[in-house]
Amino acid sequence: MTTDVALEIGGMTCASCATRIERKLNRIEGVTATVNYATEKARVHADGVETAALIAAVEAAGYTATVPAPPAASEEPGAVLAVDREVLELRQRLTVSAALTVPVVLLSMVPLLQFTDWQWLALTLAAPVVVWGAWPFHRAAAVNARHGAATMDTLVSVGVMAAFGWSLYALFFGMAGQPGMHMTFTLFGQPQPGAGEIYLEVASAVTVFILAGRYIEARAKKQSGAALRALLELGAKDAAVLRGGVESRVSAASLVPGDRIVVRPGEKVAADGLIVDGASAVDLSMLTGESVPVEVRPGDRVIGATVNVGGRLLVEVTRVGADTELARIARLVEEAQSGKAEAQRLADRVSAVFVPVVIGLALATFAGWLIFAGSVELAFTAAVATLIIACPCALGLATPTALLVGTGRGSQLGIIIRGPQVLEQTRTIDTIVLDKTGTVTTGRMSVRHVDAVGDASPDDVLGFAAAVEHGSEHPVARAILSHARTKGLEIRDAESFTAHAGQGVQALVDGHLTLAGRASWLSADWSITIPPTSAEAIAAAEGAGATVIAIAWDGELRGIVAVGDTIKGTSVEAISRLRALGLRPVLLTGDNAGVAHAIAAEAGIDEIHAGVTPQGKLDLIRALQAAGRIVAMVGDGVNDAAALAAADLGIAMGTGTDAAIAAADITVVSGDLLVVADSVRLARRTLGTIKGNLFWAFAYNVAAIPIAMLGLLNPLLAGAAMAFSSVFVVTNSLRLRSFRSAAATSPAGTASMPLNQTEKQARAVTK
């Protein structure tokens, strides 16, 4: 049986650890695994392999592995996340070590402070730093050594212990322990006669620098995961459930499908469900960023964690726990943060061989200086500097930190990026194929325009049409009623309502026999004359894809109402922004050519493919690819799923079907086309940050190691420079948190989101 397993990995200290665990798992037949150092998680695709065997393999490599606890477990009051414990422990270790190290460095560098026997005080202060402060590095190095492996912690541990060991030798067996011994700080190593130099400041300061880098890394992981934690915390904690006619308050975790819950104004919906009774408005900003609450009524679907801002609702629960929309989005975010780009795989492969090579270079450096310069001190200084400067922590952090921050920021803005390979795809796409219904257009019937005939006014026409259509459940009728309410018109009562299937409806409105339906029906069955100007208007509207309802009362045509799918308020601007990103828009629809050309003309799209079947959509994607185009597909329906999967980059509207979302690489939760452009911008910016990080990490090591081997770098500065490289990578990645959505400043559409509820809560968490 094939299963996908997620494991939480403990004990990793660098990217080499992740690579080692990954290799160990992948050696098991039927297993394909990826391990992410930043998220400390493994994703395993196992064919016929038990989870216990996977955990045993990880433990055999010297690490721990556990199956993640259910989300509810992490939401218990007072629960402390593992990342928080790591941050607290590192902060404590860093604070104590820094307090002890500062006087050691000052005593070693400032001759005026070097009183008689100062070196013994320096030893007393440095020893706890080297032993206790650097203990995480020593422990990790020892664990890996027992398994015949060397990691980046090995470099740190060997470098620190070498500096401390040499200092002990010089103090107890050399001349450094003599009263009146003095030292001066130099940037470069210099030959010294005998064992007269100590490196206590190097051993302690390097420990502090690396601890500071690890602390910043741990805080970055905490901040990067803030959006995901905020998503998980958005759900309601309890619910008012109606069982046997009795309402009682229960934990939201105890709900099961079929339960009926009461949601009062101001309360969160506790789980996904269908409205059974009541009408209200629901604030969907948590999921879609829409600033205007959406009107809901019986039969409509509601999503858990959204807020009821109107009347009382009775909701029948359909999905709970891990099956809810909120949990699904959280999983997508986590999956996106746990993947690996091809560039990161290269970095991991380099890290795996980097450590033994560096140890070899350090030994060669020591031997070379000893042979050609004859100075043990200078040889030792150069070797230790080589070990310290080479620690490639930045290499292991280059991709994970940028990916964590980028995808976390995307989730705050309603952009779910499925994996890091998606980032690389956004760089090359040059064509974007757009489904029409639900993507460029609203996908809902609405009134396009109302034309009056004779003495009647547009409001008269709309008022009579709404009154006579009030008794109909047809989508066109609902669109007319909705438009009348929007205009503030009073919906009058109608009597003697009669529906004529496929033709229209009739009723008495204020004593007037009113008809609403096809113009041909009014003409043929009721002998109502259609003026030439009205006939031309009807033909033009129908040619543009609208459904035209002719309205008549007292035996005369009074006006027409054109109803149809309308373009989204942000679509025109979105198309313009997609073009600015170098993408050629293509409209793809199953509708007729008239509708397609009308929408395309309004949206500003030149290339149109109309009347296309689901198979035809797939064929078009493949045809464009065969022509050398790199294609992105945007859709929201089941009929788009195959095309989304076949495209080089699939983008699904979160308002669409599960099938479309499952087939896509990026999900735009709000369904706003403007955010599609944002998703491409964010993905490209994240990829640029990853490439910048990798360049810095590679260039830093390539440039620094030869300098250290030539004896041109003091080990203290080597430690500071190594830590700075990690800090640079993390800081550069955190700049992605400043990414702003173009939709936030767009005046068009209801999907504009100055600061949605998810982002507010995520910011609160990061503070």
Side-chain angles (χ1 to χ4, degrees), residues 80-95 215 218 222:
V80 180
L81 297 173
V83 68
D84 293 327
R85 287 195 298 270
E86 181 186 5
V87 170
L88 291 173
E89 180 184 339
L90 281 171
R91 183 168 61 191
Q92 181 186 38
R93 204 176 289 271
L94 173 62
T95 302
Y215 173 65
K222 177 182 177 181

Side-chain angles (χ1 to χ4, degrees), residues 223 405 409 412 733-740 766:
Q223 293 171 352
V405 180
R409 181 60 184 152
Q412 293 174 352
S733 297
L734 288 174
R735 290 171 58 238
L736 287 168
R737 297 173 65 196
S738 65
F739 180 88
R740 290 289 178 266
T766 56

Side-chain angles (χ1 to χ4, degrees), residues 440-454:
V440 177
T441 65
T442 62
R444 297 185 301 272
M445 301 291 279
S446 59
V447 174
R448 291 187 182 179
H449 59 84
V450 179
D451 295 335
V453 176

Side-chain angles (χ1 to χ4, degrees), residues 41-53:
K41 289 188 178 180
R43 295 208 166 269
V44 186
H45 182 74
D47 186 3
V49 180
E50 297 292 334
T51 302

Side-chain angles (χ1 to χ4, degrees), residues 107-138:
L107 286 170
S108 301
M109 291 184 175
V110 184
L112 292 176
L113 299 178
Q114 294 172 0
F115 55 87
T116 303
D117 294 327
W118 66 271
Q119 63 270 41
W120 299 104
L121 174 61
L123 175 63
T124 303
L125 295 173
V129 178
V130 171
V131 177
W132 175 78
W135 178 248
F137 314 125
H138 302 324

